[in-house]
Each structure stands twice: as C-alpha cells, then as structure tokens.
Amino acid sequence: MADICLVSMPTLGRAKSPIVPHWMLWLSGYIEQQGYQVDVVDVKSSINDEFSEREKERVFREAIEQAVGSRSPLVGLSGFTEDYRELVKLAREIKKKSDAKIIVGGIHATVSPEDFFLKEDSPFDVAVVGDGEVPLTNLIEAQKDGTHSLEEISGLIFRKGKDIVHTAPQSVVPDLENMPLHPYHKLDMNFYLQPQQFLVRPIYLSGVHIFTARGCPYGCSFCANSGKKVRFRPLDSVIGELRYLKETYNIDGFYIHDDTFTIKSDRVIDFCEKLMALNYRFLWGMEGRVNQFPDSVFRVLKKSGCIQIDFGVESGSQESLNRMKKGITVKDTETVFSRCRAEKIRTYANMLINTPDETEEDVRKTVALMEKIKATVYGICVTTPYPGTEIYDRYVRPPLSVDEYQLYSNNKTYTSIVDPRFRLAAHALSIEELSERLGKRFMLSRTWQIMSLQPLYLRALFRSKRRVQYLSMFVFRLLRRVSTLFQKCLRSLPGSGNVSSKIL
C-alpha cells in the first residue's frame, strides 16, 4: 500500500492530452526520495477517438476505481479553476468508497484555497498553497506517526468545525538542485510519446515538455503565476534528464516550458553547448521573451537544434502592452522576429484581443504588427480574467461564485466573451467576430505549416524509430483537417458583422 495516491484530473480533455502531467512527476519523485511510496492514477483515452459522454464517464469511473483500489490513506488531487466542479465531484466519489483523506493542490488551491471549504460537508480535508513537495511529505509523516497536528504544517488550509484554518506560509521550498530524476516509468509513456502537435506547435514531434526552472519575476496583469522568484535546476540535471529520455524512450525532441528560460543569456548558451555535446540531434523549441535575445544567444540556438521560439507578443500597441504590464516594447518584437527570420528559426506569436481598456486603434496596431512580423504560426486568444490575476480583481464584479467557475470550461472561452464580466475592451467591436476574422486571416492561411517540409525536420523523421507512427498520424490528421475545413466552408455565410473593414 502506497503512502499517498496522486490522481490526474480525469476529464476527457486531460485524458486525451499528450502533455506529460509534470506535477505528478515532481511530487512523486520528491516524496519517494524522502523514503515514502507513491501511486499515480493517470487514465488516458485515445487521441484519435471522438469525444463522447460514454468515454467521459469511463475515464472518470476508472480513475475513481484506481484511486480507491490503491488503498492509500492520502489521495492528492490537482486542478485549474475550470476543474473546480469536477474536482468536488471526484473527491466526493472517492470519499464515498474509501476512508482516505483528500488533499487538493494546484493553481486554484494556491490563489483561492478557501473555495474548497465553503461548505461544512466539503469532501476535501486539506488544501496546499504553493509548491506541494514539502507539505505533502509532512502530511504523510503526520499520517504515519499520528503525533503532528495540521496546524504545525506550513502551507495548508483546512476546515476545523465552522472555522477555516490557515497555517503559516511555507518557509521551506524544495531545493531544485537536489531534485531526483522524474519517475517517468509511472506513466504510460507509449501514450505520451506518440507524435504530437503540442511540443513545437503545430508540427508533429515525439518528445516531452521539460522544465529547467520554476517561477517568473514579471508582473503581467493577466497571469496568476507572476511576481515569483525564479529557482533554477542545475543544467547537468536537465541534460541528465534528456539523456535518460533518449536512451530509455528514444525521444526525437523536447520543448522547454519555463516561463523565463531566456532570463540568463549565459545559462542558455551553456545549455546549448551541453546539449550539442550529447550529439543526439534533437529538434526542440522553447518559450522566450522578445527582449532577451542578444546575438550570442541566437548564434548557438540554431546550431543546437532549436527550430522554434514561442513568444508572448500579445499586442502591437505599446499603450496596450503597458496596461498589461508586459515590460516589453513593440520594437523588441519587431527586432526579434526579424532576427529569427534571418536565422531561419520558426516563430510562434501569441496574440491577445479583448485586452484591458483596448481601443479600436489598439486593434489596428496589433493587426499591423502581425502583418509586419510574419510569424510562422499565430495563436489568437481572447483575454479572459482568471482568479488570482490583477485583471480579475479589477474587472470581474461581482466575483464569480464557485458554481460559475464552470464558465472557464466553455470551449468558446478563447474565442468569445462567455460572461459580460469578462469583457475588458473599451471598444464596441464584436470580440467573437474579431476573433473569427483574425483567425481566418492569419491562421487558416498557414494550415499547411503542419507539413513543415524543411530538410532538417524530414531528416529527423527518417532517423526516428517512430517514423511509421509519424506517417500514420500525419495522414489521419491531415484528412481530418481537410474534412473540417470543407464543412466550415459549406456552413459559412457572407457578411462582415460590426467589425470594421478598416481594421481588418
């Protein structure tokens, strides 16, 4: 019997996601390093199958059965704000069938932990605020020896009778220098290493997301993870993880998912040099800030196999960037995209509409910048205020009830305004029509980028031990994409709504 069972959120979207649940790996690796045993429950569903209520129920029930079957005295759950209702449902079902204490963590438990204890009959026993490694280890120790009270453990919130108790904030965080190798063997790596489009978007690549650091020191008003000290893993540890993944699972590439990988230029250069010394010829991508790319970094990135950099461009209006507290300039964006084109490094530009107090002129400037920078791929999203962000506190009045958190699970959240309180823009343009027209102009025209027929990419595919998987996945998705586009064309109707042609 394990000391704790960690359960991945059993929604159908998560069950189909090819992105490794790193929170489970961080926590289980650390806890087992302290001498305790961890079970993980991570139910998966075929990526290629259609969504159905029957499959949704199967995934949910199987997760419950596995969690209860582990017979662990502690069960750990984690989720985002949009998972709130499902988290409560999952916790209640596990409680009905076991005596396990339910612990909840993740971003929502960190920014709004009291939400889990609003009712006296809450199925949750404890919420963890912040990093989970140390509090969970202390909870296991308290469960085993029975002498420590919850009040003595930092970083917790729990209900005691009619009161909600907050313990002291965490003063000790896990030392990333001594973190063990992720226990990837606990997951179904055959599922996660299928060629996917979520590593280097949107080309197909078999690999994993990795983290070389935690934290982000910047203060973007739309982000709940801002203003935190950056803690770095030793690069030898990161390289060791990549070596293990190649030798054990034959990955073809990876994506660095840090918020701020490029914050230290010397560290980026050191990483690239160590990566080249492996001689694995990985294809890889990363996130980057537009103002953190000196010439010395560019020279080594391409040489080490970096084929794409994803940037949070957000807007072409300096006024809008300032309101969002991005800490970058439009000129920074223009410069870095020009350099990427010169170095033949692919670019992904994330753009936002419905930004705080956005005007029609801000939209015009954004469209003009998108035309100018000529990103390889664009992501266009409607800015949505989430709990824990500055824009939520400013705009969402009254605040959402816990029952209204379900709004965030609406598939239209990224393309429309799903609640009047989510409208941040000052102009009267239809956000839905603006999103649709920008998508047609900058995204559909680049659909064929998924083919990515560059020699470097093709050589990597031919070398891969998964080349048959690549071919079958590519053909399947291409046929599905063509079918979808054809159906959309048939359904489309003329008319431009109230989005001015002068803007688009």
Side-chain angles (χ1 to χ4, degrees):
M1 180 176 69
D3 296 296
I4 189 170
C5 177
L6 303 179
V7 184
S8 182
M9 197 62 217
T11 59
L12 196 50
R14 299 283 161 75
K16 290 180 176 292
S17 173
I19 299 176
V20 167
H22 277 276
W23 72 272
M24 300 182 83
L25 298 177
W26 282 109
L27 294 179
S28 57
Y30 179 88
I31 292 170
E32 291 192 336
Q33 186 184 52
Q34 311 312 309
Y36 301 109
Q37 291 185 322
V38 181
D39 279 346
V40 301
V41 174
D42 184 38
V43 181
K44 307 310 298 181
S45 177
S46 174
I47 294 175
N48 295 329
D49 289 347
E50 296 291 339
F51 283 74
S52 69
E53 288 300 317
R54 182 177 180 180
E55 178 65 359
K56 177 181 177 181
E57 185 65 15
R58 180 198 69 80
V59 168
F60 189 79
R61 291 299 163 190
E62 187 172 332
I64 294 170
E65 290 176 8
Q66 291 187 27
V68 173
S70 75
R71 297 174 59 237
S72 300
L74 302 176
V75 172
L77 310 179
S78 180
F80 297 96
T81 301
E82 59 265 33
D83 299 320
Y84 180 85
R85 187 170 72 178
E86 293 298 314
L87 278 169
V88 173
K89 180 181 176 183
L90 178 62
R92 288 197 187 282
E93 290 296 318
I94 294 174
K95 277 284 192 183
K96 287 179 183 178
K97 300 180 178 183
S98 77
D99 296 324
K101 294 187 180 302
I102 308 295
I103 306 165
V104 63
I107 186 63
H108 191 82
T110 294
V111 302
S112 194
E114 292 193 1
D115 286 344
F116 294 100
F117 303 101
L118 295 177
K119 297 181 180 179
E120 289 190 39
D121 66 342
S122 168
F124 301 100
D125 293 282
V126 180
V128 174
V129 178
D131 291 346
E133 287 90 346
V134 175
L136 285 181
T137 302
N138 291 335
L139 283 167
I140 292 172
E141 293 173 350
Q143 173 72 24
K144 278 182 167 294
D145 62 33
T147 59
H148 293 81
S149 67
L150 293 181
E151 285 90 343
E152 298 176 79
I153 301 175
S154 299
L156 303 184
I157 290 185
F158 57 93
R159 178 174 279 281
K160 191 173 185 179
K162 293 186 177 182
D163 298 323
I164 297 177
V165 179
H166 297 242
T167 67
Q170 291 191 55
S171 58
V172 178
V173 293
D175 181 2
L176 299 190
E177 290 193 4
N178 296 311
M179 291 291 277
L181 182 70
H182 281 345
Y184 285 100
H185 63 277
K186 290 181 176 290
L187 303 177
D188 180 1
M189 292 305 290
N190 286 328
F191 176 91
Y192 285 112
L193 293 177
Q194 297 175 80
Q196 56 161 300
Q197 290 180 288
F198 296 96
L199 282 173
V200 179
R201 295 175 289 182
I203 69 172
Y204 288 101
L205 194 63
S206 172
V208 299
H209 294 76
I210 66 169
F211 289 86
T212 78
R214 291 189 193 177
C216 177
Y218 303 104
C220 301
S221 64
F222 53 81
C223 181
N225 192 41
S226 59
K228 296 180 180 179
K229 180 182 178 181
V230 180
R231 291 175 287 145
F232 299 97
R233 288 176 63 190
L235 288 182
D236 286 342
S237 171
V238 179
I239 293 298
E241 180 180 358
L242 291 172
R243 181 185 295 110
Y244 169 81
L245 288 166
K246 181 63 177 179
E247 294 177 357
T248 307
Y249 299 110
N250 281 304
I251 65 169
D252 296 321
F254 60 92
Y255 182 88
I256 297 178
H257 216 0
D258 300 3
D259 292 316
T260 52
F261 176 62
T262 54
I263 196 170
K264 290 185 176 182
S265 298
D266 290 346
R267 186 171 183 268
V268 175
I269 294 170
D270 193 13
F271 170 80
C272 291
E273 290 175 346
K274 289 177 181 294
L275 183 65
M276 286 186 285
L278 290 177
N279 198 31
Y280 286 148
R281 294 186 290 183
F282 284 131
L283 299 181
W284 62 282
M286 66 175 184
E287 293 185 14
R289 283 179 64 87
V290 296
N291 59 351
Q292 293 178 344
F293 284 86
D295 290 346
S296 56
V297 169
F298 265 115
R299 283 193 292 269
V300 74
L301 283 175
K302 184 65 180 291
K303 190 176 178 181
S304 66
C306 179
I307 60 173
Q308 180 167 306
I309 307 173
D310 296 3
F311 295 102
V313 176
E314 324 306 10
S315 176
S317 162
Q318 190 60 53
E319 294 80 4
S320 183
L321 292 173
N322 293 343
R323 288 193 294 267
M324 289 186 280
K325 301 182 179 180
K326 276 290 294 185
I328 61 174
T329 68
V330 174
K331 182 62 177 177
D332 291 333
T333 298
E334 294 173 347
T335 300
V336 78
F337 274 78
S338 176
R339 187 62 193 272
C340 283
R341 285 197 302 274
E343 297 290 342
K344 292 183 172 55
I345 296 177
R346 292 165 52 93
T347 51
Y348 182 102
N350 188 71
M351 312 300 301
L352 296 176
I353 56 175
N354 186 48
T355 60
D357 300 325
E358 179 182 83
T359 66
E360 289 192 27
E361 183 60 22
D362 292 330
V363 177
R364 291 189 185 94
K365 289 179 178 179
T366 295
V367 174
L369 182 66
M370 292 171 75
E371 289 281 8
K372 184 173 185 178
I373 62 177
K374 295 180 173 57
T376 312
V377 188
Y378 289 98
I380 302 168
C381 296
V382 172
T383 310
T384 302
Y386 276 81
T389 65
E390 180 182 315
I391 58 174
Y392 181 90
D393 294 337
R394 177 182 174 187
Y395 288 91
V396 183
R397 289 285 181 269
L400 299 180
S401 67
V402 293
D403 292 331
E404 290 177 308
Y405 288 153
Q406 194 65 17
L407 288 168
Y408 293 113
S409 64
N410 190 320
N411 290 333
K412 296 182 179 180
T413 300
Y414 296 107
T415 58
S416 63
I417 304 293
V418 298
D419 185 277
R421 288 168 288 183
F422 291 177
R423 186 175 184 96
L424 314 180
H427 57 67
L429 300 174
S430 166
I431 296 298
E432 293 79 2
E433 292 181 17
L434 179 60
S435 174
E436 182 179 1
R437 295 191 66 180
L438 285 172
K440 288 180 178 179
R441 180 168 177 176
F442 291 99
M443 296 172 71
L444 294 185
S445 63
R446 298 182 183 273
T447 295
W448 299 103
Q449 283 291 339
I450 64 172
M451 297 179 71
S452 299
L453 297 179
Q454 298 98 337
L456 181 65
Y457 177 68
L458 289 177
R459 285 197 296 269
L461 262 59
F462 288 136
R463 288 197 306 265
S464 174
K465 294 187 177 181
R466 292 184 175 84
R467 50 186 172 270
V468 174
Q469 270 188 303
Y470 278 106
L471 180 60
S472 60
M473 184 72 75
F474 179 75
V475 171
F476 177 84
R477 290 298 178 89
L478 186 60
L479 291 175
R480 175 177 283 186
R481 182 68 63 88
V482 170
S483 175
T484 300
L485 292 176
F486 181 69
Q487 292 175 32
K488 284 184 177 180
C489 289
L490 291 179
R491 290 195 301 265
S492 64
L493 295 174
S496 58
N498 70 342
V499 177
S500 171
S501 60
K502 293 181 180 180
I503 293 179
L504 298 177

